[in-house]
Amino acid sequence: MKMVVKEWLVRTERLEIVFDGEALDDMRALELIFAGLDAIGARRAMFGSHGRELGRADLEAQVMASRRFPTDLRAENYEFRFGGSVAWKHTFVMVTGSPGDVGVWESWVSRAMGMPGFVQSWISQRDYDYWQNAEDPLEYPGSGRSCEHLPMISSGDPPPLDRVIIDTSRNPGRRTIRSGYVEGIGAVMWLSPLFWQRVRRQRNDAELVEAGWHVTALSDGNIKVDAAMNVFTEQGDSAEQARLRAAIYG
């Protein structure tokens, strides 16, 4: 049974799409999800939320009435999450599923790039992304993992809340929230002109190519960069990921 679960996690991918400030609200996030489902031929998909099955009209009415995006929204074997931070000046949509095809994810991204405030997007493997950013040592034994070889630091909380946590600051797959963007990495990424403003770097295609990225110019100054057709995993080359990451974030 454990092997089955592990294989399922390996297949599960996550698409993260980041928008500037409050460019995306609950209803616009729904519009993006609907558009992505339409693009993959799932226009009539039913949504599951809190044990209920809803059509699009009922889901829109629920979100408009509550002014809250559902916390457990699902459809067509995909899971959807919407959130953001006023303090960190960004909002995001996450789509989790197992398409095994970059083109499926690109259906969502192409629609996102046409919306105001698009900053960036990338694909990650959910299991890999989780453990690259897990800080609590207590999570490891229950998952059959050891953290004895990992660097530890203080949580920085005042006594008596201070505790020892795992230092993820040098992990190649770390996800760090920044002002106006998220410092994340994927084997396939989409970056907007606004992204380069947020990271305060000049876009340099030659530097990206030298690091190992393949750069494709898209409309409106957006670019797609890819280093491989598959997502990064624990079996990947961490030095390569670090080099690719440095070419984007410095």
Side-chain angles (χ1 to χ4, degrees), residues 89-161:
K89 303 176 183 177
H90 78 271
T91 51
F92 66 85
V93 169
M94 286 185 182
V95 186
T96 304
S98 307
D101 182 356
V102 172
V104 173
W105 293 129
E106 207 147 17
S107 299
W108 265 285
V109 179
S110 62
R111 275 122 187 105
M113 287 191 293
M115 300 173 70
F118 171 74
V119 176
Q120 65 188 126
S121 183
W122 71 94
I123 305 167
S124 62
Q125 184 202 74
R126 183 169 70 172
D127 191 40
Y128 176 68
D129 180 71
Y130 182 84
W131 291 109
Q132 283 286 288
N133 293 280
E135 296 182 335
D136 188 352
L138 298 179
E139 292 187 70
Y140 279 72
S143 299
R145 290 171 172 259
S146 172
C147 62
E148 293 181 357
H149 62 293
L150 299 177
M152 301 287 180
I153 58 172
S154 166
S155 66
D157 296 318
L161 301 177

Side-chain angles (χ1 to χ4, degrees), residues 1-12 125 127 145 234-235:
M1 179 63 71
K2 288 185 178 181
M3 189 62 179
V4 173
V5 173
K6 184 176 181 181
E7 289 177 349
W8 178 81
L9 284 170
V10 168
R11 291 197 306 270
T12 302
Q125 184 202 74
D127 191 40
R145 290 171 172 259
E234 291 182 322
Q235 288 72 44

Side-chain angles (χ1 to χ4, degrees), residues 62-80:
Q62 175 182 300
V63 172
M64 288 184 67
S66 66
R67 298 184 180 181
R68 294 182 60 186
F69 193 88
T71 56
D72 65 340
L73 189 63
R74 304 173 306 282
E76 293 292 309
N77 297 316
Y78 292 94
E79 299 173 4
F80 306 100

